[in-house]
Amino acid sequence: YLSTEQKMKNFALAGVLMGFCTWVWWYSMNAVGRADKTTDDGSDPLETLRAEAQEAKNRKKKSVSEEEAEELAQLDIGVNEKDLLGDDVTLAVAAPDDVAQQEEDRNKAALKKGSSRPLWKKIVLFWKKE
């Protein structure tokens, strides 16, 4: 059971919290209601918001096209170890023979440098030597 003093403190706290929530609601409604009016400098806040939203959409479209370009670039990087394991592997490079040979040598050298352990084992079992 609560004493009368404790009940009064609870009611006072409830009143303060309700007052705060009401003030936040009132302030929010007034701030939204002002969006159709111009500000002191003569600009329309709603129009500014729309322009910023359109700019963000344009940036997102641009970033999607950039992601596609990066994905295509990743596909064009070279071959991996699985590709070189087969005997009947044919690589087609749209470059002169000397450049194609350099690329092939670079790919093979990169595969020889790597270890046989997967990356996750290197991270999880970092204290073990290869």
Side-chain angles (χ1 to χ4, degrees), residues 54-84:
Q54 185 62 39
E55 183 180 331
K57 285 180 185 178
N58 291 342
R59 267 190 268 133
K60 181 161 181 139
K61 286 179 185 176
K62 187 176 181 181
S63 67
V64 168
S65 63
E66 287 173 354
E67 287 176 9
E68 289 174 0
E70 288 175 6
E71 182 180 335
L72 289 174
Q74 287 293 329
L75 292 174
D76 195 34
I77 284 179
V79 295
N80 57 24
E81 192 172 351
K82 287 182 189 177
D83 295 335
L84 293 178

Side-chain angles (χ1 to χ4, degrees), residues 11-115:
F11 283 127
L13 178 62
V16 168
L17 291 175
M18 286 297 292
F20 177 73
C21 291
T22 303
W23 176 80
V24 168
W25 173 80
W26 176 80
Y27 179 80
S28 299
M29 291 299 112
N30 281 335
V32 170
R34 286 192 51 210
D36 59 344
K37 301 174 186 170
T38 58
T39 58
D40 295 336
D41 63 353
S43 64
D44 184 8
L46 189 56
E47 191 58 39
T48 305
L49 183 64
R50 285 184 184 144
E52 289 174 358
Q54 185 62 39
E55 183 180 331
K57 285 180 185 178
N58 291 342
R59 267 190 268 133
K60 181 161 181 139
K61 286 179 185 176
K62 187 176 181 181
S63 67
V64 168
S65 63
E66 287 173 354
E67 287 176 9
E68 289 174 0
E70 288 175 6
E71 182 180 335
L72 289 174
Q74 287 293 329
L75 292 174
D76 195 34
I77 284 179
V79 295
N80 57 24
E81 192 172 351
K82 287 182 189 177
D83 295 335
L84 293 178
L85 291 178
D87 293 333
D88 57 337
V89 174
T90 304
L91 290 178
V93 179
D97 289 339
D98 58 337
V99 175
Q101 187 61 42
Q102 288 174 354
E103 182 70 21
E104 187 175 338
D105 293 342
R106 188 179 63 101
N107 284 338
K108 287 182 180 179
L111 290 175
K112 288 179 184 176
K113 286 181 186 176
S115 68

